[in-house]
Amino acid sequence: MARENIIAGLDIGTSKVAAIIADIGSGDLDEIEVIGVGVAPSEGLRRGVVVDIEKTAASIRKAVEDAELMAGVEISSVYAGIAGGHIMGTNVSGVVAVSGPNHEITQADVDRAINAAQALAIPVEREVIHVIPQGFVVDGQDGIKDPVGMHGVRLEAHVHIITGAVTSAQNLVKSVHMAGLSVEDIVLQPLASSKAVMTDQEKDIGTVLVDMGAGTTDIVIFKNGALMHTKVLSLGGWHVTNDIAMGLRITPQEAERIKKQSGCALVDLVDDTETVAVSLPGGRRPRLIMRRVLAEIIQPRMMEILDLVAREIEKSKVVIMGGVILTGGCALMEGLPELAEYMFDMPVRIGYPRQLKGLVDKVNSPIYATGVGLIIFGAEERQKGKRPKARFKSSRQFEEILRRMKEWFADYF
Ligand SMILES: Nc1ncnc2c1ncn2[C@@H]1O[C@H](COP(=O)(O)OP(=O)(O)OP(=O)(O)O)[C@@H](O)[C@H]1O
Ligand SMILES: [Mg+2]
């Protein structure tokens, strides 16, 4: 199997690390085939941010080894997702004069306009993760997607810039390096998820994607095909589990178990007669509780999180015609779409990752939206002809060189 066709996505989440290996064929989205999936519990993160590099590296190693075993190929680099409360999305614009012959706009003018936008206020302690063009204005005419070839004297670029704390990005990259891999690129987790669960039409008409994981709730809002708003809230399913553990005085493990098995985000959906068996700490006899009591703990926390999401939608000032898509593990909770519809007063659907070829059943859950999206992101980059960036090269240069030499010789013979 030719190595260039193999791509790996590494979703380093607060509850799990998921590694997905795919053969992208010629790079066309319809050809992508999932060939390996590995999942390991994640123990080195808090609220989406790496706080223990060694533990994170161990989880990465485990997930990647399982995926490699299934795929029958070894990987050396990954597209890694990043999230955490330090992530910031800002809309900026930059203006340049079109200088070429006949005032015909070239790619160089577009790049200059985007650079001019970027030059504005990016503090040194922040790493630029994505620079996403939203649209261009040529001599006052707005709504232009691709100005190359048009004539004009003044070109303005509207750009969405996503930055993160340099230290958080470094710790993430270091964890991947410690697991023996290099990073082709770091990708904002909800941007990756959006590639897996949103349609182009939804991106056009104004749609909100909410990826509710264990430690973070990530929000991205698209309109006119472009990313308009980004926010990462440091709240997620972990907080719900914690509330249950505190409220019922049980272990977090038992709270997590009953939440997944019997949790409901809307009290009104629960029948008054339903009960849940709960194990108590210290080997005491299990106790029966009303399922309604469990829902009464879950609903207020979910409402708190959804309320913060609603405020972000309002803040974005984007007119939403496509409603809200819920993805991430929490999207599996019964009653959450109904509660969200009530809170947002908009249609809500659950975001399952788009069907790829290969081991689709292994990744057919909102839990894998980010991992599948990382593969699609990587495939798109490869199709654009982008080679891996040098900025996240492995520190183990000697081994890297040795590996390359082996590859050269393999090619040679
Ligand atoms: N069936 C279910 N019902 C309710 N909640 C669920 C269910 N399955 C998983 N979850 C919750 O989803 C969360 C894990 O989701 P996910 O795998 O998307 O998170 P993550 O990617 O590890 O974390 P993050 O993206 O926040 O860093 C956990 O809090 C878990 O309790
Ligand atoms: Mg996640």
Side-chain angles (χ1 to χ4, degrees):
M1 212 176 290
R3 196 166 197 104
E4 296 78 57
N5 293 350
I6 303 295
I7 275 192
L10 190 63
D11 173 14
I12 305 168
T14 309
S15 71
K16 54 97 193 19
V17 173
I20 302 181
I21 303 177
D23 183 342
I24 59 164
S26 67
D28 203 61
L29 290 193
D30 296 331
E31 281 184 35
I32 302 175
E33 186 182 349
V34 176
I35 57 172
V37 181
V39 188
S42 167
E43 275 152 18
L45 276 85
R46 267 184 79 80
R47 298 176 183 181
V49 173
V50 174
V51 293
D52 185 325
I53 293 172
E54 271 175 34
K55 280 188 180 164
T56 306
S59 302
I60 293 172
R61 201 54 256 159
K62 171 89 180 58
V64 168
E65 271 168 11
D66 286 358
E68 284 179 331
L69 209 61
M70 195 182 286
V73 292
E74 279 189 19
I75 56 162
S76 55
S77 61
V78 295
Y79 286 87
I82 190 168
H86 59 97
I87 296 291
M88 260 169 45
T90 331
N91 292 326
V92 288
S93 54
V95 184
V96 292
V98 180
S99 49
N102 301 329
H103 293 294
E104 187 178 325
I105 298 168
T106 62
Q107 186 59 46
D109 295 316
V110 170
D111 293 345
R112 272 196 306 127
I114 292 172
N115 281 338
Q118 264 192 81
L120 296 169
I122 296 170
V124 279
E125 76 280 10
R126 299 194 71 79
E127 165 104 33
V128 175
I129 298 169
H130 298 289
V131 176
I132 302 167
Q134 296 169 320
F136 297 86
V137 185
V138 178
D139 294 347
Q141 173 67 54
D142 64 1
I144 295 168
K145 284 273 165 221
D146 184 9
V148 174
M150 291 177 72
H151 294 269
V153 289
R154 183 182 189 276
L155 174 68
E156 183 176 351
H158 290 280
V159 178
H160 189 73
I161 296 187
I162 297 167
T163 60
V166 167
T167 46
S168 294
Q170 279 170 341
N171 290 336
L172 182 84
V173 171
K174 205 165 172 188
S175 306
V176 179
H177 285 175
M178 195 180 270
L181 299 158
S182 60
V183 177
E184 291 202 30
D185 211 345
I186 47 178
V187 184
L188 182 72
Q189 285 177 14
L191 185 67
S193 306
S194 75
K195 297 207 178 277
V197 307
M198 281 178 111
T199 64
D200 287 344
Q201 191 196 29
E202 283 172 325
K203 286 182 184 169
D204 264 341
I205 62 176
T207 303
V208 184
L209 177 73
V210 181
D211 182 332
M212 210 189 273
T216 64
T217 296
D218 315 334
I219 306 152
V220 283
I221 303 178
F222 282 83
K223 178 90 179 186
N224 298 328
L227 179 55
M228 306 303 286
H229 192 81
T230 306
K231 180 75 183 176
V232 176
L233 303 169
S234 299
L235 279 171
W238 181 87
H239 299 82
V240 177
T241 301
N242 201 43
D243 289 349
I244 297 169
M246 305 271 273
L248 300 177
R249 294 200 180 82
I250 55 177
T251 62
Q253 292 74 19
E254 180 64 355
E256 177 75 9
R257 188 188 70 80
I258 62 166
K259 180 185 84 169
K260 284 192 197 164
Q261 183 205 294
S262 313
C264 183
L266 193 57
V267 176
D268 287 350
L269 289 180
V270 179
D271 201 278
D272 273 342
T273 58
E274 287 179 85
T275 54
V276 182
V278 183
S279 311
L280 298 177
R284 280 177 283 158
R285 281 183 48 210
R287 173 163 61 114
L288 276 188
I289 61 153
M290 302 307 296
R291 188 174 176 226
R292 206 180 166 86
V293 171
L294 182 61
E296 279 165 358
I297 298 174
I298 296 170
Q299 184 173 333
R301 178 63 94 171
M302 287 300 193
M303 285 177 76
E304 180 199 354
I305 300 173
L306 295 174
D307 184 53
L308 292 170
V309 175
R311 285 191 212 177
E312 287 302 319
I313 300 173
E314 214 174 311
K315 234 193 259 176
S316 76
K317 299 197 177 72
V318 176
V319 179
I320 307 294
M321 307 291 281
V324 176
I325 307 171
L326 280 180
T327 194
C330 292
L332 291 169
M333 179 168 291
E334 191 188 325
L336 193 65
E338 289 86 346
L339 180 67
E341 283 197 348
Y342 165 75
M343 300 266 309
F344 299 142
D345 197 18
M346 278 185 218
V348 173
R349 72 170 179 91
I350 298 180
Y352 278 82
R354 153 203 196 109
Q355 294 273 331
L356 302 174
K357 293 201 291 187
L359 307 164
V360 278
D361 53 320
K362 289 252 184 292
V363 291
N364 188 23
S365 161
I367 287 176
Y368 298 113
T370 304
V372 170
L374 286 168
I375 293 287
I376 298 172
F377 183 96
E380 284 177 356
E381 294 284 285
R382 290 277 175 97
Q383 208 170 28
K384 280 186 224 152
K386 278 197 194 164
R387 294 313 301 159
K389 289 182 187 167
R391 62 174 175 158
F392 301 121
K393 274 273 158 62
S394 167
S395 48
R396 302 171 318 128
Q397 279 186 345
F398 180 67
E399 284 171 51
E400 185 83 349
I401 291 165
L402 211 63
R403 187 184 63 75
R404 292 241 181 94
M405 282 171 75
K406 276 188 198 153
E407 274 185 5
W408 292 337
F409 285 117
D411 285 344
Y412 213 81
F413 293 111

